[in-house]
Amino acid sequence: MAAIANVNGTITGGQEATISVFDHGFLFGEGVYETLRTYNGRPFLLERHLRRLRTSAGMINLDVPLNNEEFTARLTETITAARDASLSASSPSSSPSAPEWYVRVLLTRGVGELSYDPAACPKPSLVIIVKTLDVPAPQAYETGVPVVLVSVMRNHPDSVNPLIKSNNLLNNALAMQEAVRRGAFEGVMRNYRGEISECTTANIFVVKDGLALTPPLDAGLLAGITREFLFELGPVQGVPVRDAVLRDEDLFGADEAFLTSTTRELVPIVRVDDRNIGDGKPGPVTRKLLQAFRDQAHALTKAPSSRR
């Protein structure tokens, strides 16, 4: 199904959606974004995503034009339009299962003069894109994926701070392009100190002696929502989750490893470069956390009347 777009409150098909070439998000990459997904047709951890959007926007002195209630209403309106378009496109004889949705929210400085002065843009632009969620093939979870350590270094916090979920993704794009050329599912990036930071589109965890370890925020990474959720979920499952400075040898010597992201949940990593992680297959801790995460995601997004 083609995407549905909501540009400053106007919903159209993705191909019909337009934004000015004088928008500073296009001209200068001035903007922030969030990626969400649904379970049971409802956005998961929406309040946390909106909190992070406001944090990112605040770090670049960008006003957020809607409160949380208004944001929720606009998201719901756009998801409903995507659902209606999907139903209209379905064959009358088919009985498709209800899809889950990928949602991308982009907030930019807005349309203005060719100037870096924020005062040149009187009003921010807000775009919401909704399309059917594409998830990794089941094999990725069943047998795991390979990753590579890439040569592209994560942004220094004193340049473009990785804590800003910025629309300017050239750093990540170049790293991912290297990973793709090398036949990997993802690229693992280091920071300026040579420590492991994160993947190009995901956070990274290693498991050692039953403990799940992930780089701290000051390693130069995005504060992932799934990453944050695992700090709460892990101990309930008997898996302590901790921040830890990680280097190449910690990854190579891990019992297990996995990456986390909003759209892909937890994906087992079974090889880094040419070395297997553990016994080269998804480990018990990763499988346990993945199942617990999915159970919680579905439980938290059930309609209120269906909860017990």
Side-chain angles (χ1 to χ4, degrees):
M1 185 200 111
I4 293 293
N6 186 326
V7 180
N8 295 320
T10 299
I11 297 176
T12 66
Q15 296 298 318
E16 291 74 47
T18 60
I19 196 158
S20 171
V21 295
F22 290 100
D23 191 287
H24 280 213
F26 173 75
L27 288 173
F28 306 128
E30 280 194 275
V32 296
Y33 77 100
E34 282 293 319
T35 298
L36 301 86
R37 65 153 291 174
T38 66
Y39 292 86
N40 302 306
R42 298 160 64 93
F44 182 50
L45 300 179
L46 174 58
E47 289 187 359
R48 302 191 193 208
H49 282 282
L50 293 180
R51 178 199 68 205
R52 188 173 64 179
L53 181 73
R54 294 183 189 283
T55 298
S56 294
M59 293 177 75
I60 64 169
N61 299 310
L62 175 59
D63 290 333
V64 180
L66 304 179
N67 62 34
N68 279 11
E69 183 177 342
E70 293 166 333
F71 244 120
T72 301
R74 192 168 292 189
L75 281 167
T76 301
E77 178 185 31
T78 313
I79 291 172
T80 299
R83 183 181 298 117
D84 291 345
S86 176
L87 290 172
S88 297
S90 299
S91 167
S93 60
S94 65
S95 300
S97 58
E100 298 294 356
W101 304 103
Y102 167 100
V103 182
R104 192 178 184 99
V105 178
L106 302 103
L107 178 67
T108 77
R109 188 78 67 192
V111 177
E113 298 298 326
L114 293 169
S115 167
Y116 289 142
D117 184 356
C121 301
K123 184 180 179 181
S125 297
L126 177 61
V127 177
I128 301 172
I129 299 170
V130 177
K131 68 182 188 70
T132 305
L133 178 70
D134 293 323
V135 297
Q139 184 179 4
Y141 300 96
E142 294 163 3
T143 63
V145 300
V147 302
V148 292
L149 287 157
V150 296
S151 62
V152 179
M153 186 180 73
R154 196 65 178 98
N155 285 336
H156 194 291
D158 290 337
S159 57
V160 179
N161 194 327
L163 285 173
I164 303 169
K165 196 168 176 65
S166 165
N167 289 343
N168 190 329
L169 291 168
L170 186 58
N171 180 236
N172 308 69
L174 292 174
M176 188 62 182
Q177 289 162 17
E178 179 182 334
V180 170
R181 288 195 299 270
R182 295 168 60 187
F185 183 84
E186 254 287 6
V188 179
M189 304 177 75
R190 306 176 185 90
N191 64 19
Y192 69 100
R193 295 188 295 259
E195 303 160 354
I196 289 173
S197 179
E198 61 181 339
C199 297
T200 70
T201 61
N203 293 121
I204 188 168
F205 286 75
V206 302
V207 178
K208 190 69 176 178
D209 299 326
L211 186 67
L213 304 172
T214 189
L217 296 182
D218 65 9
L221 54 96
L222 180 72
I225 300 299
T226 304
R227 174 187 183 276
E228 175 186 270
F229 195 60
L230 281 188
F231 274 86
E232 304 164 18
L233 183 64
V236 176
Q237 299 300 315
V239 181
V241 181
R242 301 282 187 273
D243 285 337
V245 173
L246 301 176
R247 296 186 179 275
D248 295 4
E249 56 266 26
D250 298 303
L251 182 55
F252 292 133
D255 300 326
E256 306 174 34
F258 59 89
L259 60 86
T260 63
S261 77
T262 291
T263 57
R264 294 176 293 180
E265 305 170 320
L266 285 72
V267 181
I269 297 171
V270 295
R271 193 170 72 252
V272 180
D273 294 343
D274 58 353
R275 304 191 195 187
N276 283 347
I277 301 299
D279 58 6
K281 61 184 180 181
V285 172
T286 303
R287 293 197 303 269
K288 182 178 185 178
L289 289 175
L290 174 59
Q291 187 58 55
F293 179 88
R294 287 175 169 172
D295 290 345
Q296 274 293 93
H298 284 284
L300 291 172
T301 52
K302 285 182 179 177
S305 61
S306 66
R307 296 180 187 174
R308 294 289 184 264

